[in-house]
């Protein structure tokens, strides 16, 4: 009987260790507008670029704390305002492991030129911490910060 109890204990302990050490700290967050995101201190925490236009809405974030990365999207009709706060981006890390809700062309791009062909403008914001990709016609913009 002790052998069975010992075996069960070993299996349960092993399963618990796999669950605990296999966990990743990944969160998906949604905010109706920029004010709500600021109330949650997303800019101060470094999960949201500081230069977003005042009309920013429908903010979606995917944070991966384990690898210090964040992916996000937002809707704005004033993405052109970003050019005052951010600079043209010519070198950047591509969001190869971006969330499934990132457009396919962003996840599969190999070069800056690939995204330009698709009509995206790319900017560097917050001293290079964030890359923001958007089409000048407005609508949904995407951003990412890959710190590791």
């Amino acid at each position: 009987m002790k052998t069975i109890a010992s075996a069960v204990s070993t299996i349960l302990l092993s399963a618990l260790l796999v669950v605990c050490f296999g966990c990743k700290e990944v969160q998906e967050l949604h905010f109706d507008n920029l004010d709500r995101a600021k109330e949650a201190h997303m800019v101060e925490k470094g999960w949201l670029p500081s230069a977003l236009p005042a009309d920013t809405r429908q903010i979606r974030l995917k944070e991966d704390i384990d690898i210090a990365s964040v992916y996000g999207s937002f809707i704005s009709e004033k993405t052109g305002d970003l050019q005052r706060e951010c600079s043209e981006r010519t070198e950047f890390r591509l969001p190869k492991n971006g969330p499934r809700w990132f457009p396919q062309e962003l996840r599969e791009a190999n070069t800056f030129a690939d995204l330009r062909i698709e009509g995206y403008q790319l900017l560097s914001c917050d001293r290079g911490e964030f890359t923001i990709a958007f089409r000048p016609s407005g609508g949904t913009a995407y951003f990412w910060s890959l710190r590791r």
Side-chain angles (χ1 to χ4, degrees), residues 64-83:
D64 189 330
I65 296 168
D66 292 336
I67 60 171
S69 67
V70 63
Y71 299 92
S73 67
F74 62 92
I75 296 174
S76 172
E77 303 311 317
K78 298 181 179 183
T79 51
D81 291 354
L82 291 166
Q83 293 172 325

mmCIF file with all atom_site columns, all heavy atoms in Angstrom, residues 64-83:
data_model
loop_
_atom_site.group_PDB
_atom_site.id
_atom_site.type_symbol
_atom_site.label_atom_id
_atom_site.label_alt_id
_atom_site.label_comp_id
_atom_site.label_asym_id
_atom_site.label_entity_id
_atom_site.label_seq_id
_atom_site.pdbx_PDB_ins_code
_atom_site.Cartn_x
_atom_site.Cartn_y
_atom_site.Cartn_z
_atom_site.occupancy
_atom_site.B_iso_or_equiv
_atom_site.pdbx_formal_charge
_atom_site.auth_seq_id
_atom_site.auth_comp_id
_atom_site.auth_asym_id
_atom_site.auth_atom_id
_atom_site.pdbx_PDB_model_num
ATOM 1   N N   . ASP A 1 64 ? 3.846   39.899 -22.296 1.00 0.00 ? 64 ASP A N   1
ATOM 2   C CA  . ASP A 1 64 ? 4.543   38.677 -21.893 1.00 0.00 ? 64 ASP A CA  1
ATOM 3   C C   . ASP A 1 64 ? 5.644   39.107 -20.938 1.00 0.00 ? 64 ASP A C   1
ATOM 4   O O   . ASP A 1 64 ? 6.708   39.561 -21.357 1.00 0.00 ? 64 ASP A O   1
ATOM 5   C CB  . ASP A 1 64 ? 5.108   37.939 -23.097 1.00 0.00 ? 64 ASP A CB  1
ATOM 6   C CG  . ASP A 1 64 ? 5.648   36.566 -22.727 1.00 0.00 ? 64 ASP A CG  1
ATOM 7   O OD1 . ASP A 1 64 ? 6.106   36.397 -21.573 1.00 0.00 ? 64 ASP A OD1 1
ATOM 8   O OD2 . ASP A 1 64 ? 5.625   35.675 -23.586 1.00 0.00 ? 64 ASP A OD2 1
ATOM 9   N N   . ILE A 1 65 ? 5.355   39.006 -19.674 1.00 0.00 ? 65 ILE A N   1
ATOM 10  C CA  . ILE A 1 65 ? 6.273   39.494 -18.637 1.00 0.00 ? 65 ILE A CA  1
ATOM 11  C C   . ILE A 1 65 ? 7.558   38.681 -18.612 1.00 0.00 ? 65 ILE A C   1
ATOM 12  O O   . ILE A 1 65 ? 8.633   39.215 -18.374 1.00 0.00 ? 65 ILE A O   1
ATOM 13  C CB  . ILE A 1 65 ? 5.561   39.500 -17.269 1.00 0.00 ? 65 ILE A CB  1
ATOM 14  C CG1 . ILE A 1 65 ? 4.397   40.499 -17.328 1.00 0.00 ? 65 ILE A CG1 1
ATOM 15  C CG2 . ILE A 1 65 ? 6.524   39.838 -16.142 1.00 0.00 ? 65 ILE A CG2 1
ATOM 16  C CD1 . ILE A 1 65 ? 3.439   40.411 -16.180 1.00 0.00 ? 65 ILE A CD1 1
ATOM 17  N N   . ASP A 1 66 ? 7.473   37.384 -18.919 1.00 0.00 ? 66 ASP A N   1
ATOM 18  C CA  . ASP A 1 66 ? 8.659   36.523 -18.880 1.00 0.00 ? 66 ASP A CA  1
ATOM 19  C C   . ASP A 1 66 ? 9.743   36.975 -19.843 1.00 0.00 ? 66 ASP A C   1
ATOM 20  O O   . ASP A 1 66 ? 10.929  36.877 -19.552 1.00 0.00 ? 66 ASP A O   1
ATOM 21  C CB  . ASP A 1 66 ? 8.287   35.070 -19.203 1.00 0.00 ? 66 ASP A CB  1
ATOM 22  C CG  . ASP A 1 66 ? 7.439   34.427 -18.116 1.00 0.00 ? 66 ASP A CG  1
ATOM 23  O OD1 . ASP A 1 66 ? 7.512   34.901 -16.963 1.00 0.00 ? 66 ASP A OD1 1
ATOM 24  O OD2 . ASP A 1 66 ? 6.720   33.469 -18.411 1.00 0.00 ? 66 ASP A OD2 1
ATOM 25  N N   . ILE A 1 67 ? 9.343   37.454 -21.020 1.00 0.00 ? 67 ILE A N   1
ATOM 26  C CA  . ILE A 1 67 ? 10.348  37.885 -22.010 1.00 0.00 ? 67 ILE A CA  1
ATOM 27  C C   . ILE A 1 67 ? 10.306  39.392 -22.241 1.00 0.00 ? 67 ILE A C   1
ATOM 28  O O   . ILE A 1 67 ? 10.894  39.902 -23.191 1.00 0.00 ? 67 ILE A O   1
ATOM 29  C CB  . ILE A 1 67 ? 10.195  37.128 -23.357 1.00 0.00 ? 67 ILE A CB  1
ATOM 30  C CG1 . ILE A 1 67 ? 8.817   37.355 -23.967 1.00 0.00 ? 67 ILE A CG1 1
ATOM 31  C CG2 . ILE A 1 67 ? 10.487  35.651 -23.168 1.00 0.00 ? 67 ILE A CG2 1
ATOM 32  C CD1 . ILE A 1 67 ? 8.679   36.815 -25.379 1.00 0.00 ? 67 ILE A CD1 1
ATOM 33  N N   . ALA A 1 68 ? 9.612   40.105 -21.359 1.00 0.00 ? 68 ALA A N   1
ATOM 34  C CA  . ALA A 1 68 ? 9.548   41.562 -21.401 1.00 0.00 ? 68 ALA A CA  1
ATOM 35  C C   . ALA A 1 68 ? 9.157   42.085 -22.778 1.00 0.00 ? 68 ALA A C   1
ATOM 36  O O   . ALA A 1 68 ? 9.821   42.927 -23.353 1.00 0.00 ? 68 ALA A O   1
ATOM 37  C CB  . ALA A 1 68 ? 10.871  42.176 -20.930 1.00 0.00 ? 68 ALA A CB  1
ATOM 38  N N   . SER A 1 69 ? 8.059   41.566 -23.299 1.00 0.00 ? 69 SER A N   1
ATOM 39  C CA  . SER A 1 69 ? 7.576   42.052 -24.583 1.00 0.00 ? 69 SER A CA  1
ATOM 40  C C   . SER A 1 69 ? 6.109   42.440 -24.468 1.00 0.00 ? 69 SER A C   1
ATOM 41  O O   . SER A 1 69 ? 5.393   41.963 -23.585 1.00 0.00 ? 69 SER A O   1
ATOM 42  C CB  . SER A 1 69 ? 7.747   40.993 -25.673 1.00 0.00 ? 69 SER A CB  1
ATOM 43  O OG  . SER A 1 69 ? 6.896   39.893 -25.432 1.00 0.00 ? 69 SER A OG  1
ATOM 44  N N   . VAL A 1 70 ? 5.704   43.339 -25.346 1.00 0.00 ? 70 VAL A N   1
ATOM 45  C CA  . VAL A 1 70 ? 4.312   43.748 -25.405 1.00 0.00 ? 70 VAL A CA  1
ATOM 46  C C   . VAL A 1 70 ? 3.942   43.955 -26.864 1.00 0.00 ? 70 VAL A C   1
ATOM 47  O O   . VAL A 1 70 ? 4.749   44.437 -27.664 1.00 0.00 ? 70 VAL A O   1
ATOM 48  C CB  . VAL A 1 70 ? 4.046   45.019 -24.566 1.00 0.00 ? 70 VAL A CB  1
ATOM 49  C CG1 . VAL A 1 70 ? 4.817   46.208 -25.080 1.00 0.00 ? 70 VAL A CG1 1
ATOM 50  C CG2 . VAL A 1 70 ? 2.569   45.345 -24.504 1.00 0.00 ? 70 VAL A CG2 1
ATOM 51  N N   . TYR A 1 71 ? 2.740   43.528 -27.194 1.00 0.00 ? 71 TYR A N   1
ATOM 52  C CA  . TYR A 1 71 ? 2.171   43.745 -28.516 1.00 0.00 ? 71 TYR A CA  1
ATOM 53  C C   . TYR A 1 71 ? 0.843   44.441 -28.291 1.00 0.00 ? 71 TYR A C   1
ATOM 54  O O   . TYR A 1 71 ? 0.139   44.142 -27.323 1.00 0.00 ? 71 TYR A O   1
ATOM 55  C CB  . TYR A 1 71 ? 1.898   42.411 -29.217 1.00 0.00 ? 71 TYR A CB  1
ATOM 56  C CG  . TYR A 1 71 ? 3.129   41.569 -29.428 1.00 0.00 ? 71 TYR A CG  1
ATOM 57  C CD1 . TYR A 1 71 ? 3.502   40.619 -28.491 1.00 0.00 ? 71 TYR A CD1 1
ATOM 58  C CD2 . TYR A 1 71 ? 3.915   41.731 -30.562 1.00 0.00 ? 71 TYR A CD2 1
ATOM 59  C CE1 . TYR A 1 71 ? 4.634   39.831 -28.679 1.00 0.00 ? 71 TYR A CE1 1
ATOM 60  C CE2 . TYR A 1 71 ? 5.048   40.957 -30.756 1.00 0.00 ? 71 TYR A CE2 1
ATOM 61  C CZ  . TYR A 1 71 ? 5.408   40.011 -29.807 1.00 0.00 ? 71 TYR A CZ  1
ATOM 62  O OH  . TYR A 1 71 ? 6.527   39.250 -30.002 1.00 0.00 ? 71 TYR A OH  1
ATOM 63  N N   . GLY A 1 72 ? 0.493   45.344 -29.186 1.00 0.00 ? 72 GLY A N   1
ATOM 64  C CA  . GLY A 1 72 ? -0.772  46.027 -28.993 1.00 0.00 ? 72 GLY A CA  1
ATOM 65  C C   . GLY A 1 72 ? -1.340  46.589 -30.274 1.00 0.00 ? 72 GLY A C   1
ATOM 66  O O   . GLY A 1 72 ? -0.669  46.644 -31.310 1.00 0.00 ? 72 GLY A O   1
ATOM 67  N N   . SER A 1 73 ? -2.582  47.009 -30.167 1.00 0.00 ? 73 SER A N   1
ATOM 68  C CA  . SER A 1 73 ? -3.242  47.685 -31.276 1.00 0.00 ? 73 SER A CA  1
ATOM 69  C C   . SER A 1 73 ? -4.166  48.738 -30.700 1.00 0.00 ? 73 SER A C   1
ATOM 70  O O   . SER A 1 73 ? -4.553  48.680 -29.531 1.00 0.00 ? 73 SER A O   1
ATOM 71  C CB  . SER A 1 73 ? -4.021  46.694 -32.145 1.00 0.00 ? 73 SER A CB  1
ATOM 72  O OG  . SER A 1 73 ? -5.110  46.153 -31.438 1.00 0.00 ? 73 SER A OG  1
ATOM 73  N N   . PHE A 1 74 ? -4.505  49.702 -31.529 1.00 0.00 ? 74 PHE A N   1
ATOM 74  C CA  . PHE A 1 74 ? -5.449  50.737 -31.149 1.00 0.00 ? 74 PHE A CA  1
ATOM 75  C C   . PHE A 1 74 ? -6.041  51.332 -32.412 1.00 0.00 ? 74 PHE A C   1
ATOM 76  O O   . PHE A 1 74 ? -5.501  51.170 -33.506 1.00 0.00 ? 74 PHE A O   1
ATOM 77  C CB  . PHE A 1 74 ? -4.784  51.824 -30.292 1.00 0.00 ? 74 PHE A CB  1
ATOM 78  C CG  . PHE A 1 74 ? -3.675  52.578 -30.977 1.00 0.00 ? 74 PHE A CG  1
ATOM 79  C CD1 . PHE A 1 74 ? -3.936  53.758 -31.675 1.00 0.00 ? 74 PHE A CD1 1
ATOM 80  C CD2 . PHE A 1 74 ? -2.372  52.119 -30.922 1.00 0.00 ? 74 PHE A CD2 1
ATOM 81  C CE1 . PHE A 1 74 ? -2.908  54.456 -32.305 1.00 0.00 ? 74 PHE A CE1 1
ATOM 82  C CE2 . PHE A 1 74 ? -1.342  52.812 -31.536 1.00 0.00 ? 74 PHE A CE2 1
ATOM 83  C CZ  . PHE A 1 74 ? -1.608  53.988 -32.230 1.00 0.00 ? 74 PHE A CZ  1
ATOM 84  N N   . ILE A 1 75 ? -7.148  52.012 -32.238 1.00 0.00 ? 75 ILE A N   1
ATOM 85  C CA  . ILE A 1 75 ? -7.788  52.706 -33.350 1.00 0.00 ? 75 ILE A CA  1
ATOM 86  C C   . ILE A 1 75 ? -7.659  54.197 -33.112 1.00 0.00 ? 75 ILE A C   1
ATOM 87  O O   . ILE A 1 75 ? -7.871  54.678 -31.993 1.00 0.00 ? 75 ILE A O   1
ATOM 88  C CB  . ILE A 1 75 ? -9.270  52.304 -33.470 1.00 0.00 ? 75 ILE A CB  1
ATOM 89  C CG1 . ILE A 1 75 ? -9.370  50.820 -33.811 1.00 0.00 ? 75 ILE A CG1 1
ATOM 90  C CG2 . ILE A 1 75 ? -9.979  53.162 -34.516 1.00 0.00 ? 75 ILE A CG2 1
ATOM 91  C CD1 . ILE A 1 75 ? -10.794 50.280 -33.816 1.00 0.00 ? 75 ILE A CD1 1
ATOM 92  N N   . SER A 1 76 ? -7.283  54.921 -34.162 1.00 0.00 ? 76 SER A N   1
ATOM 93  C CA  . SER A 1 76 ? -7.184  56.371 -34.100 1.00 0.00 ? 76 SER A CA  1
ATOM 94  C C   . SER A 1 76 ? -7.346  56.929 -35.503 1.00 0.00 ? 76 SER A C   1
ATOM 95  O O   . SER A 1 76 ? -6.851  56.351 -36.470 1.00 0.00 ? 76 SER A O   1
ATOM 96  C CB  . SER A 1 76 ? -5.832  56.803 -33.534 1.00 0.00 ? 76 SER A CB  1
ATOM 97  O OG  . SER A 1 76 ? -5.683  58.196 -33.644 1.00 0.00 ? 76 SER A OG  1
ATOM 98  N N   . GLU A 1 77 ? -8.012  58.040 -35.586 1.00 0.00 ? 77 GLU A N   1
ATOM 99  C CA  . GLU A 1 77 ? -8.108  58.750 -36.868 1.00 0.00 ? 77 GLU A CA  1
ATOM 100 C C   . GLU A 1 77 ? -6.981  59.763 -36.990 1.00 0.00 ? 77 GLU A C   1
ATOM 101 O O   . GLU A 1 77 ? -6.857  60.435 -38.000 1.00 0.00 ? 77 GLU A O   1
ATOM 102 C CB  . GLU A 1 77 ? -9.464  59.453 -36.980 1.00 0.00 ? 77 GLU A CB  1
ATOM 103 C CG  . GLU A 1 77 ? -10.656 58.518 -36.839 1.00 0.00 ? 77 GLU A CG  1
ATOM 104 C CD  . GLU A 1 77 ? -10.580 57.278 -37.711 1.00 0.00 ? 77 GLU A CD  1
ATOM 105 O OE1 . GLU A 1 77 ? -10.201 57.394 -38.895 1.00 0.00 ? 77 GLU A OE1 1
ATOM 106 O OE2 . GLU A 1 77 ? -10.897 56.178 -37.206 1.00 0.00 ? 77 GLU A OE2 1
ATOM 107 N N   . LYS A 1 78 ? -6.160  59.876 -35.952 1.00 0.00 ? 78 LYS A N   1
ATOM 108 C CA  . LYS A 1 78 ? -5.101  60.892 -35.933 1.00 0.00 ? 78 LYS A CA  1
ATOM 109 C C   . LYS A 1 78 ? -3.717  60.268 -35.809 1.00 0.00 ? 78 LYS A C   1
ATOM 110 O O   . LYS A 1 78 ? -2.859  60.793 -35.104 1.00 0.00 ? 78 LYS A O   1
ATOM 111 C CB  . LYS A 1 78 ? -5.353  61.860 -34.784 1.00 0.00 ? 78 LYS A CB  1
ATOM 112 C CG  . LYS A 1 78 ? -6.663  62.604 -34.920 1.00 0.00 ? 78 LYS A CG  1
ATOM 113 C CD  . LYS A 1 78 ? -6.872  63.570 -33.792 1.00 0.00 ? 78 LYS A CD  1
ATOM 114 C CE  . LYS A 1 78 ? -8.185  64.304 -33.997 1.00 0.00 ? 78 LYS A CE  1
ATOM 115 N NZ  . LYS A 1 78 ? -8.423  65.298 -32.974 1.00 0.00 ? 78 LYS A NZ  1
ATOM 116 N N   . THR A 1 79 ? -3.479  59.152 -36.492 1.00 0.00 ? 79 THR A N   1
ATOM 117 C CA  . THR A 1 79 ? -2.159  58.517 -36.410 1.00 0.00 ? 79 THR A CA  1
ATOM 118 C C   . THR A 1 79 ? -1.072  59.436 -36.943 1.00 0.00 ? 79 THR A C   1
ATOM 119 O O   . THR A 1 79 ? 0.085   59.308 -36.559 1.00 0.00 ? 79 THR A O   1
ATOM 120 C CB  . THR A 1 79 ? -2.142  57.177 -37.165 1.00 0.00 ? 79 THR A CB  1
ATOM 121 O OG1 . THR A 1 79 ? -2.665  57.369 -38.478 1.00 0.00 ? 79 THR A OG1 1
ATOM 122 C CG2 . THR A 1 79 ? -2.941  56.120 -36.431 1.00 0.00 ? 79 THR A CG2 1
ATOM 123 N N   . GLY A 1 80 ? -1.428  60.380 -37.794 1.00 0.00 ? 80 GLY A N   1
ATOM 124 C CA  . GLY A 1 80 ? -0.453  61.358 -38.281 1.00 0.00 ? 80 GLY A CA  1
ATOM 125 C C   . GLY A 1 80 ? 0.156   62.177 -37.152 1.00 0.00 ? 80 GLY A C   1
ATOM 126 O O   . GLY A 1 80 ? 1.292   62.646 -37.259 1.00 0.00 ? 80 GLY A O   1
ATOM 127 N N   . ASP A 1 81 ? -0.583  62.343 -36.051 1.00 0.00 ? 81 ASP A N   1
ATOM 128 C CA  . ASP A 1 81 ? -0.065  63.074 -34.886 1.00 0.00 ? 81 ASP A CA  1
ATOM 129 C C   . ASP A 1 81 ? 1.157   62.386 -34.282 1.00 0.00 ? 81 ASP A C   1
ATOM 130 O O   . ASP A 1 81 ? 1.971   63.021 -33.605 1.00 0.00 ? 81 ASP A O   1
ATOM 131 C CB  . ASP A 1 81 ? -1.136  63.216 -33.812 1.00 0.00 ? 81 ASP A CB  1
ATOM 132 C CG  . ASP A 1 81 ? -2.270  64.144 -34.221 1.00 0.00 ? 81 ASP A CG  1
ATOM 133 O OD1 . ASP A 1 81 ? -2.171  64.767 -35.302 1.00 0.00 ? 81 ASP A OD1 1
ATOM 134 O OD2 . ASP A 1 81 ? -3.253  64.248 -33.454 1.00 0.00 ? 81 ASP A OD2 1
ATOM 135 N N   . LEU A 1 82 ? 1.295   61.094 -34.502 1.00 0.00 ? 82 LEU A N   1
ATOM 136 C CA  . LEU A 1 82 ? 2.438   60.355 -33.958 1.00 0.00 ? 82 LEU A CA  1
ATOM 137 C C   . LEU A 1 82 ? 3.766   60.882 -34.500 1.00 0.00 ? 82 LEU A C   1
ATOM 138 O O   . LEU A 1 82 ? 4.785   60.790 -33.834 1.00 0.00 ? 82 LEU A O   1
ATOM 139 C CB  . LEU A 1 82 ? 2.308   58.863 -34.291 1.00 0.00 ? 82 LEU A CB  1
ATOM 140 C CG  . LEU A 1 82 ? 1.201   58.107 -33.582 1.00 0.00 ? 82 LEU A CG  1
ATOM 141 C CD1 . LEU A 1 82 ? 0.979   56.758 -34.253 1.00 0.00 ? 82 LEU A CD1 1
ATOM 142 C CD2 . LEU A 1 82 ? 1.533   57.936 -32.113 1.00 0.00 ? 82 LEU A CD2 1
ATOM 143 N N   . GLN A 1 83 ? 3.740   61.434 -35.690 1.00 0.00 ? 83 GLN A N   1
ATOM 144 C CA  . GLN A 1 83 ? 4.977   61.911 -36.312 1.00 0.00 ? 83 GLN A CA  1
ATOM 145 C C   . GLN A 1 83 ? 5.602   63.072 -35.547 1.00 0.00 ? 83 GLN A C   1
ATOM 146 O O   . GLN A 1 83 ? 6.802   63.304 -35.661 1.00 0.00 ? 83 GLN A O   1
ATOM 147 C CB  . GLN A 1 83 ? 4.719   62.295 -37.763 1.00 0.00 ? 83 GLN A CB  1
ATOM 148 C CG  . GLN A 1 83 ? 4.366   61.070 -38.590 1.00 0.00 ? 83 GLN A CG  1
ATOM 149 C CD  . GLN A 1 83 ? 3.909   61.412 -39.983 1.00 0.00 ? 83 GLN A CD  1
ATOM 150 O OE1 . GLN A 1 83 ? 3.259   62.423 -40.204 1.00 0.00 ? 83 GLN A OE1 1
ATOM 151 N NE2 . GLN A 1 83 ? 4.259   60.561 -40.926 1.00 0.00 ? 83 GLN A NE2 1
#
